Amino acid sequence: MKVAIIGGGPGGLYAAALLKRLDPERDVRVWERNAPDETFGFGVVLSDETLGGIEHADPVVYGALQRDFVRWDDIDIVHRGVTHRSGGHGFAALGRRRLLEILHDRCRSLGVELGFRTEAPHPDTLSTEYDLVIAADGVHSTTRDTYADVFAPRVTAHRCRYIWLAADFPFDAFRFEIAETEHGVMQLHGYPYAADASTVIVEMREEVWKAAGFDEVTPQESVDRCAKIFAEALRGRPLRSNNSAWTVFRTVVNDRWSHGNVVLLGDAAHTAHFSIGSGTKLAVEDALALAACLAEQPDVPRALAAYEEERKPVVASTQRAARASLDWFENLRLYLDQPPRQFAFNLLTRSRRVTHDNLRLRDAHFTEAVEREFGCPPGTPPMFTPFRLRGLTLRNRVVVSPMDMYSATDGVPGDFHLVHLGARALGGAGLVMTEMVCVSEEGRITPGCAGLYTGRQAEAWRRITDFVHTRAPGTAVGVQLGHSGRKGSTKLMWEGMDEPLPRGNWPLVAASPLPYKPGSQLPRELSRAQLTDIREQFTAAAWRAARAGFDLLELHCAHGYLLSGFLSPLTNRRTDAYGGSLQRRLRFPLEVFDAVRAVWPAERPMTVRISATDWAEGGTTAEDAVEIARAFAAHGADAIDVSTGQVVAEERPEFGRSYQTPFADRIRHAARVPVIAVGAISSWDDVNSLILAGRTDLCALGRPHLYDPHWTLHAAAEQGYEGPGVAWPAPYRAGSRRPQTGRTDAPRPRLSLS
C-alpha cells in the first residue's frame, strides 16, 4: 500500500508512524510545506485518555513523551485580585517542537519518507498515484477546499482575537487570569510545557482588541503590551513570540470526511477551541482510529467509512463542549460580578464536561466552599435549595416542564391528567407545570388539547390542583396558557406531528398569513378587533386559572404558537403597529401579558416562555432574546422560561446535552432576571452544576419525568439527601432507599497458586 500524507503536524506524523509500524511494507510519505521546527504555538496538553491510546499503540512514542512531560494537577482562577485554586485535575504537557522531534525520529526509524519545505502535489494527482491520501493540512486545508462540494465544510469565525505567546518560567498551575481594563475585559490562559517555559494565550473580544489599539501596533509592541497588562501573573517577566499574530478562532465542521481514497484528519476535518485543549488530542486520536480501521477492514473504502462512523460522534461531542467554553469566554463580561468562588466554579464547569459531582471528587474542599458561598446548608445539594418567586417559595429548583399530553376531551382534563400530574407532584419536584392550556377552542393545537375556556374545564383543573396541594404538600402547580396560532388544527402527536387534520378542521389565525410548512393550513392575519378578542380570551382563562387554584401562571410565547408568531421576524410580516421592529413585534404579547397580570392575583408569580433563537437565518437572535426578556421583566414577569426553536419548520437546531442552557445563562446575566433552563437536562448532576454556576435559577425537565415520575425523589436518594428540599409522601417512605439488586460479584478464592 502506498500512503501519501499532506501535512507534517502531530496528526499527520503520528498517522504515518502508526501505519508504517502496523505494516512495514507500506510506502508512507509525508509532505510538509514548512521547516521541521516551524510550528504554531508553544505547548501541547494531552489527556490521560489520549496517552493511554498512544501507550497501547506505540510504546516507543509513549516512552519518549513520558520523559519530556510536565505534569500538574491544579487550576488557578485569578479575578479581581483573588486567586482560587482547584486541584485534582491532572494535566500533562510538552513543547510543540519537542513533540514534532519525537514524531520525526519515530517516523525516520520506521522508514517513513519525510519531505520538508515541500508543497504536496495536487490531491487529484496523489489520489491517482497513491492508494490512500491523508489530508492533515490544517484549519486552512487546501485539500478540503479542493473537494468542498463533497466535504461540505462550514467554517465559523468567532468574536475574540487571541495570540499565542510564551514566558520563560513555568506556571505551577493551569492559570486563568482576568484583566478588567479601560478598554474592556481581557483574559490570559497559561500553563507550563517545560521545566523553564509556559504557554501564554491572551484573548479578548474584537471590539476590545480594537479599542486597546492592538490593530495599530507592531507585533513586538503587542507582545510588550500583553506582558504589561498581565505583569503580576508573569512576575514582571517579558513574553516572547514565535512569529505570533493576532487571529480569530475558526470552528471547522465537515458533512463528510472522505472522498474516494482521500480522507481528512485533524484540523482539516474539525477544530475545537483551545480553551479545552483538544486540537492536538483530537488529531492524535484521529490517527489512532484511522490506523485501527485500516487494520480491521478489508479495503480502504470500508476503512474510511468505519473511521468516519467512529470518530464523528466523538468529535461532535467535543466540539459542543468546546463551543460552550468558547461562548463562555466570549461573554465573560456577563459573569464578572458573580461571587468570587461561584465565578471560579462557573469557569471550571463552562464546557459542561466538568460537573458539580466530578469536581467534588477532584476537589471536595473547593466545591464545598462554593456551596457555602451559594447558601447551601451542610449536606444540601444546590438543587434542593429553595427559590422564591414573588409570594411563592419553591422548596427546590426542579420543575416538571410543560409537556403536551393530547389526552383531553373537549378541552376537559380527565383522569389521565389527574394521574399524570399527580404522580409527578408526588415525585418531589418543586413545581409541576401543566401542558399548554388553550384559551379558546380555536386556539387548540389538536382535538386532544386541554383548555380553560369553559367553567367545566376550570372545575376539572380544580380537582387536580386540590389533589396536588392535599396529597403533595409543598409542591406548587403552575398553568401554562397559550394559543396555537398557525400551528393549530393538527393531528395528535403520535398520529402525525404538525400534520393537518384530515377532517374537522377549524380556521387558524396568526400574526401574518403564513402557513407553518408546505401542506399546512393558511392562517388569517388577525385584525385589530380580533387581537382584542384574543387578549380577552387570555384574561378570561387566567381568571379561571386563579379560581382553579394554580400557584403560578406561565404565558406561552415560544415554539411558533400565536404570541411567539408576533415576536419572530420570520413569522411576523405585519406593516401596522404590531410588526416591523422588535419593539413593535413585542407590542401584542406585552398587551396580553399586562391584561393577564391585571387579573392574576398579585401575590402569585407569572413567568413567560420564549424561544430564544429560531435556529434559522433571519430569525430571533440571542441578542433579541435578551431584549424580549428585559421587556417582559419590565412589565412584571417574575422569571423567563428559556426554550428555543419550533418557530419555523426549516429550523436547524444544534442539539446536545443542555443545549439551550447558554441562552438562559445569557438572559439571566444580561437582563438581570431569574430564568428557567430547559432542554436536554437529564441528570441531577447537571441540575446541580447549572444552579451552582449561576447559569439558571430553576431547571425544567420533561422527558426524564416521563421516564421516571419520581425523578426528584430518586435524585435525593442517590445523593443521600433527606432535608426539607424534598419530601417522600408518607405511603412511599418505605421506598426511599434504593432496592437491593442481585449479586454481581463472586467470592474471591481463599488461596491462589501460581
Coordinates of all heavy atoms in Angstrom, one line a residue, residues 25-100:
E25 N 5.8 -2.9 5.2 CA 5.8 -3.0 3.7 C 5.1 -1.8 3.1 O 5.3 -1.5 1.9 CB 5.1 -4.3 3.2 CG 5.8 -5.5 3.7 CD 7.3 -5.6 3.2 OE1 7.6 -5.2 2.0 OE2 8.2 -5.9 4.1
R26 N 4.4 -1.0 3.9 CA 3.7 0.2 3.3 C 4.7 1.2 2.9 O 5.7 1.4 3.6 CB 2.7 0.8 4.4 CG 1.5 0.0 4.5 CD 0.6 0.6 5.6 NE -0.7 -0.1 5.7 CZ -1.4 -0.3 6.9 NH1 -0.9 0.2 8.0 NH2 -2.5 -0.9 6.8
D27 N 4.4 1.9 1.8 CA 5.2 3.0 1.4 C 4.5 4.3 1.9 O 3.5 4.7 1.3 CB 5.3 3.0 -0.1 CG 6.1 4.2 -0.7 OD1 6.6 5.0 0.1 OD2 6.1 4.3 -2.0
V28 N 5.1 4.9 2.9 CA 4.4 6.1 3.5 C 5.3 7.3 3.3 O 6.4 7.3 3.7 CB 4.2 5.8 5.0 CG1 3.4 7.0 5.6 CG2 3.3 4.6 5.2
R29 N 4.7 8.4 2.8 CA 5.4 9.6 2.5 C 4.6 10.8 3.1 O 3.4 10.9 2.9 CB 5.7 9.8 1.0 CG 6.4 11.1 0.8 CD 6.9 11.2 -0.7 NE 7.6 12.5 -0.9 CZ 8.2 12.8 -2.0 NH1 8.1 12.1 -3.1 NH2 8.8 14.0 -2.1
V30 N 5.3 11.7 3.7 CA 4.7 12.9 4.3 C 5.3 14.2 3.6 O 6.5 14.3 3.4 CB 5.0 13.0 5.8 CG1 4.4 14.3 6.4 CG2 4.5 11.8 6.5
W31 N 4.4 15.1 3.2 CA 4.8 16.4 2.6 C 4.5 17.5 3.7 O 3.3 17.5 4.2 CB 4.0 16.7 1.4 CG 4.5 16.0 0.1 CD1 5.4 16.5 -0.8 CD2 4.1 14.7 -0.3 NE1 5.6 15.6 -1.8 CE2 4.8 14.5 -1.6 CE3 3.3 13.7 0.1 CZ2 4.7 13.3 -2.3 CZ3 3.1 12.6 -0.6 CH2 3.8 12.4 -1.8
E32 N 5.5 18.3 4.0 CA 5.2 19.4 4.9 C 5.9 20.6 4.3 O 7.1 20.7 4.0 CB 5.9 19.1 6.3 CG 5.9 20.3 7.2 CD 4.6 20.9 7.4 OE1 3.6 20.2 7.8 OE2 4.5 22.2 7.3
R33 N 5.0 21.7 4.1 CA 5.5 22.9 3.5 C 6.5 23.7 4.3 O 7.3 24.5 3.7 CB 4.3 23.8 3.1 CG 3.6 24.4 4.3 CD 2.5 25.3 3.9 NE 1.4 24.5 3.3 CZ 0.2 25.1 2.9 NH1 0.0 26.4 3.1 NH2 -0.7 24.3 2.4
N34 N 6.5 23.5 5.6 CA 7.3 24.3 6.5 C 8.6 23.6 6.9 O 8.7 22.4 6.6 CB 6.6 24.7 7.8 CG 5.4 25.6 7.5 OD1 5.5 26.5 6.7 ND2 4.2 25.3 8.1
A35 N 9.5 24.3 7.6 CA 10.7 23.6 8.1 C 10.4 22.7 9.2 O 9.3 22.8 9.8 CB 11.6 24.7 8.6
P36 N 11.3 21.8 9.5 CA 10.9 20.7 10.6 C 10.6 21.3 11.9 O 9.7 20.7 12.6 CB 12.2 19.9 10.7 CG 12.9 20.1 9.4 CD 12.6 21.5 8.9
D37 N 11.2 22.5 12.3 CA 11.0 23.0 13.6 C 10.0 24.2 13.6 O 9.8 24.9 14.6 CB 12.3 23.5 14.3 CG 13.0 24.6 13.5 OD1 12.5 24.8 12.3 OD2 13.9 25.2 14.0
E38 N 9.3 24.4 12.5 CA 8.4 25.5 12.4 C 7.0 25.0 12.8 O 6.4 24.1 12.3 CB 8.3 26.1 11.0 CG 7.6 27.4 10.9 CD 7.7 28.0 9.5 OE1 8.6 27.6 8.8 OE2 6.8 28.8 9.1
T39 N 6.4 25.7 13.9 CA 5.1 25.3 14.4 C 4.4 26.4 14.9 O 5.0 27.5 15.2 CB 5.3 24.2 15.4 OG1 4.0 23.7 15.8 CG2 6.0 24.7 16.7
F40 N 3.1 26.3 15.1 CA 2.2 27.3 15.7 C 2.0 27.1 17.1 O 1.6 26.0 17.6 CB 0.9 27.3 14.9 CG -0.1 28.3 15.4 CD1 0.1 29.7 15.3 CD2 -1.3 27.9 16.1 CE1 -0.9 30.6 15.7 CE2 -2.2 28.8 16.6 CZ -2.0 30.2 16.4
G41 N 2.3 28.1 18.0 CA 2.1 27.9 19.4 C 3.4 27.4 20.0 O 4.4 27.2 19.4
F42 N 3.2 27.0 21.3 CA 4.4 26.6 22.1 C 4.2 25.3 22.8 O 5.0 24.4 22.7 CB 4.7 27.7 23.1 CG 5.2 29.0 22.5 CD1 4.3 29.9 22.2 CD2 6.5 29.2 22.2 CE1 4.7 31.1 21.6 CE2 6.9 30.4 21.6 CZ 6.0 31.3 21.3
G43 N 3.1 25.1 23.5 CA 2.9 23.9 24.3 C 1.7 23.1 23.9 O 0.8 23.6 23.2
V44 N 1.7 21.8 24.2 CA 0.6 20.9 23.8 C 0.2 20.2 25.1 O 1.0 19.7 25.9 CB 1.1 19.8 22.8 CG1 -0.1 18.8 22.6 CG2 1.5 20.5 21.5
V45 N -1.1 20.1 25.4 CA -1.7 19.4 26.5 C -2.4 18.2 26.0 O -3.2 18.2 25.1 CB -2.6 20.3 27.3 CG1 -3.2 19.5 28.5 CG2 -2.0 21.6 27.8
L46 N -2.0 17.0 26.6 CA -2.7 15.8 26.2 C -3.3 15.1 27.5 O -2.8 15.2 28.5 CB -1.7 14.8 25.6 CG -1.1 15.2 24.3 CD1 0.0 14.2 23.8 CD2 -2.1 15.3 23.2
S47 N -4.5 14.5 27.2 CA -5.2 13.9 28.4 C -4.7 12.5 28.6 O -4.0 11.9 27.8 CB -6.7 13.8 28.0 OG -6.9 12.8 27.0
D48 N -5.0 12.0 29.8 CA -4.6 10.6 30.2 C -5.2 9.6 29.2 O -4.6 8.6 28.9 CB -5.0 10.3 31.6 CG -4.1 11.0 32.6 OD1 -3.0 11.5 32.2 OD2 -4.6 11.2 33.8
E49 N -6.4 9.9 28.8 CA -7.1 9.0 27.8 C -6.3 8.9 26.5 O -6.1 7.8 26.0 CB -8.5 9.5 27.6 CG -9.3 8.7 26.6 CD -10.7 9.3 26.3 OE1 -10.9 10.5 26.5 OE2 -11.6 8.5 25.9
T50 N -5.9 10.0 26.0 CA -5.1 10.0 24.7 C -3.8 9.3 24.9 O -3.4 8.5 24.1 CB -4.9 11.5 24.2 OG1 -6.2 12.1 24.1 CG2 -4.2 11.5 22.9
L51 N -3.1 9.6 26.1 CA -1.9 9.0 26.3 C -2.0 7.5 26.4 O -1.1 6.7 26.0 CB -1.3 9.6 27.6 CG -0.8 11.0 27.5 CD1 -0.4 11.5 28.9 CD2 0.3 11.2 26.5
G52 N -3.1 7.0 27.0 CA -3.3 5.6 27.1 C -3.4 5.0 25.7 O -2.9 3.9 25.5
G53 N -4.1 5.6 24.8 CA -4.2 5.1 23.4 C -2.8 5.1 22.8 O -2.5 4.1 22.1
I54 N -2.0 6.1 23.0 CA -0.6 6.1 22.4 C 0.2 5.0 23.0 O 0.9 4.3 22.3 CB 0.0 7.5 22.7 CG1 -0.7 8.6 21.9 CG2 1.5 7.5 22.3 CD1 -0.3 10.0 22.2
E55 N 0.1 4.8 24.3 CA 0.9 3.8 25.0 C 0.6 2.4 24.4 O 1.5 1.6 24.2 CB 0.6 3.8 26.5 CG 1.4 2.8 27.3 CD 1.1 2.8 28.8 OE1 0.1 3.4 29.2 OE2 2.0 2.3 29.6
H56 N -0.7 2.2 24.2 CA -1.1 0.9 23.7 C -0.7 0.7 22.2 O -0.3 -0.4 21.9 CB -2.6 0.7 23.8 CG -3.2 -0.6 23.3 ND1 -3.1 -1.7 24.1 CD2 -3.8 -0.9 22.2 CE1 -3.6 -2.7 23.4 NE2 -4.1 -2.3 22.3
A57 N -0.7 1.8 21.4 CA -0.4 1.6 20.0 C 1.1 1.7 19.7 O 1.5 1.1 18.8 CB -1.2 2.7 19.2
D58 N 1.8 2.5 20.5 CA 3.2 2.7 20.2 C 4.0 3.0 21.4 O 4.2 4.2 21.8 CB 3.4 3.8 19.1 CG 4.8 3.8 18.5 OD1 5.8 3.3 19.2 OD2 5.0 4.2 17.4
P59 N 4.5 2.0 22.2 CA 5.2 2.3 23.4 C 6.5 3.1 23.2 O 6.9 3.8 24.2 CB 5.6 0.9 23.9 CG 4.6 -0.1 23.2 CD 4.3 0.6 21.9
V60 N 7.1 3.1 22.1 CA 8.3 3.9 21.8 C 7.9 5.4 21.9 O 8.6 6.2 22.6 CB 8.9 3.5 20.5 CG1 10.1 4.5 20.2 CG2 9.4 2.1 20.5
V61 N 6.9 5.8 21.2 CA 6.5 7.2 21.2 C 6.0 7.6 22.6 O 6.4 8.6 23.2 CB 5.3 7.5 20.2 CG1 4.7 8.8 20.4 CG2 5.9 7.3 18.8
Y62 N 5.3 6.7 23.3 CA 4.8 7.0 24.6 C 6.0 7.2 25.6 O 6.0 8.1 26.4 CB 3.9 5.8 25.1 CG 3.4 6.0 26.5 CD1 2.3 6.9 26.8 CD2 4.0 5.3 27.6 CE1 1.9 7.0 28.1 CE2 3.6 5.5 28.9 CZ 2.5 6.4 29.1 OH 2.0 6.5 30.4
G63 N 7.0 6.3 25.5 CA 8.1 6.4 26.4 C 8.9 7.8 26.2 O 9.3 8.4 27.2
A64 N 9.0 8.2 24.9 CA 9.7 9.4 24.7 C 8.9 10.6 25.2 O 9.4 11.6 25.8 CB 9.9 9.6 23.2
L65 N 7.6 10.5 25.0 CA 6.7 11.6 25.6 C 6.8 11.7 27.1 O 6.9 12.8 27.7 CB 5.2 11.4 25.2 CG 4.9 11.5 23.7 CD1 3.4 11.1 23.5 CD2 5.1 12.9 23.2
Q66 N 6.8 10.5 27.7 CA 6.8 10.5 29.2 C 8.0 11.2 29.8 O 8.0 11.8 30.8 CB 6.8 9.0 29.7 CG 5.4 8.3 29.6 CD 4.5 8.8 30.7 OE1 3.9 9.9 30.6 NE2 4.4 8.1 31.8
R67 N 9.2 11.0 29.1 CA 10.4 11.6 29.6 C 10.4 13.1 29.5 O 11.1 13.8 30.3 CB 11.6 11.0 28.8 CG 11.9 9.6 29.1 CD 13.2 9.2 28.4 NE 13.1 9.0 27.0 CZ 12.7 7.9 26.3 NH1 12.3 6.9 27.0 NH2 12.6 7.9 25.0
D68 N 9.5 13.7 28.7 CA 9.5 15.1 28.5 C 8.3 15.8 29.1 O 8.3 17.1 29.1 CB 9.6 15.5 27.0 CG 11.1 15.3 26.5 OD1 11.8 16.3 26.6 OD2 11.4 14.3 25.9
F69 N 7.4 15.1 29.5 CA 6.1 15.7 30.0 C 6.4 16.5 31.3 O 7.1 16.1 32.2 CB 5.1 14.6 30.3 CG 4.1 14.4 29.1 CD1 3.8 13.1 28.8 CD2 3.6 15.5 28.5 CE1 2.9 12.9 27.7 CE2 2.7 15.3 27.4 CZ 2.4 14.0 27.0
V70 N 5.7 17.6 31.4 CA 5.5 18.4 32.6 C 4.1 18.0 33.1 O 3.1 18.1 32.4 CB 5.6 19.9 32.4 CG1 5.3 20.6 33.7 CG2 7.0 20.2 31.9
R71 N 4.0 17.6 34.4 CA 2.7 17.3 34.9 C 2.3 18.2 36.1 O 3.2 18.6 36.9 CB 2.7 15.8 35.4 CG 2.8 14.8 34.2 CD 2.7 13.4 34.7 NE 2.7 12.4 33.6 CZ 1.6 12.0 33.0 NH1 0.4 12.5 33.3 NH2 1.7 11.1 32.0
W72 N 1.0 18.4 36.2 CA 0.5 19.2 37.3 C -1.0 18.9 37.5 O -1.6 18.4 36.6 CB 0.8 20.7 37.1 CG -0.1 21.4 36.1 CD1 -1.2 22.1 36.3 CD2 0.1 21.4 34.7 NE1 -1.7 22.6 35.1 CE2 -0.9 22.1 34.1 CE3 1.1 20.8 33.8 CZ2 -1.1 22.3 32.7 CZ3 0.9 21.0 32.5 CH2 -0.1 21.8 31.9
D73 N -1.6 19.3 38.7 CA -2.9 19.0 39.0 C -3.9 20.2 39.2 O -5.1 20.0 39.2 CB -3.0 18.2 40.3 CG -2.4 16.8 40.2 OD1 -2.6 16.2 39.1 OD2 -1.8 16.3 41.1
D74 N -3.3 21.3 39.4 CA -4.1 22.5 39.8 C -4.5 23.4 38.7 O -3.8 23.6 37.7 CB -3.3 23.3 40.9 CG -3.0 22.4 42.1 OD1 -3.8 21.5 42.4 OD2 -2.0 22.7 42.8
I75 N -5.6 24.1 39.0 CA -6.1 25.2 38.1 C -6.3 26.4 39.0 O -6.9 26.3 40.1 CB -7.4 24.9 37.5 CG1 -7.3 23.7 36.5 CG2 -8.0 26.1 36.7 CD1 -8.6 23.3 35.9
D76 N -5.7 27.5 38.6 CA -5.8 28.8 39.4 C -6.7 29.7 38.5 O -6.5 29.9 37.3 CB -4.5 29.5 39.6 CG -3.7 28.9 40.7 OD1 -4.2 28.1 41.4 OD2 -2.5 29.2 40.8
I77 N -7.7 30.3 39.2 CA -8.6 31.3 38.6 C -8.3 32.6 39.4 O -8.5 32.7 40.6 CB -10.1 31.0 38.7 CG1 -10.3 29.7 37.8 CG2 -10.9 32.1 38.1 CD1 -10.4 28.5 38.6
V78 N -7.8 33.6 38.7 CA -7.5 34.9 39.3 C -8.4 36.0 38.8 O -8.5 36.2 37.5 CB -6.0 35.3 39.0 CG1 -5.7 36.6 39.7 CG2 -5.1 34.2 39.3
H79 N -9.2 36.6 39.7 CA -10.2 37.6 39.3 C -10.3 38.6 40.4 O -10.5 38.3 41.5 CB -11.5 36.8 39.1 CG -12.7 37.8 38.8 ND1 -12.6 38.9 38.0 CD2 -14.0 37.8 39.2 CE1 -13.7 39.5 37.9 NE2 -14.6 38.8 38.7
R80 N -10.1 39.9 40.0 CA -10.2 41.0 40.9 C -9.3 40.8 42.1 O -9.7 41.0 43.2 CB -11.7 41.2 41.3 CG -12.5 41.7 40.1 CD -13.9 42.0 40.5 NE -14.6 42.6 39.3 CZ -15.9 42.8 39.2 NH1 -16.7 42.6 40.2 NH2 -16.4 43.4 38.1
G81 N -8.1 40.3 41.8 CA -7.1 40.2 42.8 C -7.2 39.0 43.7 O -6.4 38.9 44.6
V82 N -8.2 38.2 43.5 CA -8.3 37.0 44.3 C -8.0 35.7 43.5 O -8.5 35.6 42.4 CB -9.8 36.9 44.9 CG1 -10.0 35.7 45.7 CG2 -10.1 38.2 45.7
T83 N -7.2 34.9 44.1 CA -6.9 33.6 43.4 C -7.6 32.4 44.1 O -7.6 32.3 45.3 CB -5.4 33.3 43.5 OG1 -4.7 34.4 42.8 CG2 -5.0 32.0 42.8
H84 N -8.4 31.7 43.3 CA -9.0 30.4 43.8 C -8.3 29.3 43.1 O -8.2 29.2 41.8 CB -10.5 30.5 43.5 CG -11.2 31.4 44.4 ND1 -11.4 31.2 45.7 CD2 -11.8 32.6 44.1 CE1 -12.1 32.3 46.2 NE2 -12.3 33.1 45.3
R85 N -7.9 28.3 43.9 CA -7.2 27.1 43.3 C -8.1 25.9 43.5 O -8.6 25.7 44.5 CB -5.8 26.9 44.0 CG -5.1 25.6 43.6 CD -3.7 25.6 44.0 NE -2.9 26.5 43.1 CZ -1.6 26.5 43.0 NH1 -0.9 25.6 43.8 NH2 -0.9 27.3 42.2
S86 N -8.2 25.2 42.4 CA -8.9 23.9 42.4 C -7.9 22.8 42.0 O -7.2 22.9 41.0 CB -10.1 23.9 41.5 OG -10.7 22.6 41.4
G87 N -7.9 21.7 42.7 CA -6.9 20.7 42.5 C -7.5 19.4 41.9 O -8.7 19.3 41.8
G88 N -6.7 18.4 41.7 CA -7.1 17.1 41.3 C -7.5 16.9 39.8 O -8.1 15.9 39.5
H89 N -7.0 17.8 39.0 CA -7.4 17.8 37.6 C -6.5 16.9 36.7 O -7.0 16.3 35.7 CB -7.5 19.2 37.0 CG -8.6 20.0 37.7 ND1 -9.9 19.9 37.4 CD2 -8.5 20.9 38.8 CE1 -10.6 20.7 38.2 NE2 -9.8 21.3 39.0
G90 N -5.2 16.9 36.9 CA -4.3 16.1 36.1 C -4.1 16.5 34.7 O -4.9 16.2 33.8
F91 N -3.0 17.2 34.5 CA -2.6 17.7 33.2 C -1.2 17.1 32.8 O -0.3 16.9 33.7 CB -2.5 19.2 33.1 CG -3.9 19.8 33.3 CD1 -4.2 20.4 34.5 CD2 -4.8 19.9 32.2 CE1 -5.5 21.0 34.7 CE2 -6.0 20.5 32.4 CZ -6.4 21.0 33.6
A92 N -0.9 17.0 31.5 CA 0.4 16.6 31.0 C 0.7 17.4 29.8 O -0.2 17.5 28.9 CB 0.5 15.1 30.7
A93 N 1.8 18.1 29.7 CA 2.1 18.9 28.5 C 3.6 18.8 28.2 O 4.4 18.4 29.0 CB 1.8 20.4 28.9
L94 N 3.9 19.2 26.9 CA 5.3 19.3 26.5 C 5.3 20.3 25.3 O 4.2 20.7 24.8 CB 5.8 17.9 26.0 CG 5.5 17.4 24.7 CD1 6.5 16.3 24.3 CD2 4.1 16.9 24.6
G95 N 6.5 20.7 24.9 CA 6.6 21.7 23.9 C 6.2 21.1 22.5 O 6.5 19.9 22.2
R96 N 5.7 22.0 21.7 CA 5.2 21.5 20.4 C 6.4 21.1 19.5 O 6.4 20.1 18.8 CB 4.5 22.6 19.7 CG 3.1 22.8 20.2 CD 2.4 24.0 19.5 NE 1.0 24.1 20.0 CZ -0.1 23.6 19.5 NH1 0.1 22.8 18.4 NH2 -1.3 23.7 20.0
R97 N 7.5 21.8 19.6 CA 8.7 21.5 18.9 C 9.3 20.1 19.3 O 9.7 19.3 18.5 CB 9.8 22.5 19.0 CG 9.4 23.8 18.2 CD 10.5 24.9 18.3 NE 10.2 26.0 17.5 CZ 10.8 27.2 17.5 NH1 11.8 27.3 18.4 NH2 10.5 28.1 16.7
R98 N 9.2 19.9 20.6 CA 9.7 18.6 21.1 C 8.8 17.5 20.7 O 9.3 16.4 20.3 CB 9.8 18.7 22.7 CG 10.3 17.4 23.3 CD 11.6 16.9 22.8 NE 12.0 15.6 23.2 CZ 12.7 14.8 22.5 NH1 13.1 15.1 21.3 NH2 13.1 13.6 23.0
L99 N 7.5 17.7 20.7 CA 6.6 16.7 20.2 C 6.9 16.4 18.7 O 6.9 15.2 18.3 CB 5.1 17.2 20.3 CG 4.0 16.3 19.7 CD1 4.0 14.9 20.3 CD2 2.7 17.0 19.8
L100 N 7.1 17.4 17.9 CA 7.4 17.1 16.5 C 8.8 16.4 16.4 O 8.9 15.4 15.5 CB 7.5 18.5 15.7 CG 6.2 19.2 15.5 CD1 6.4 20.5 14.8 CD2 5.2 18.4 14.8

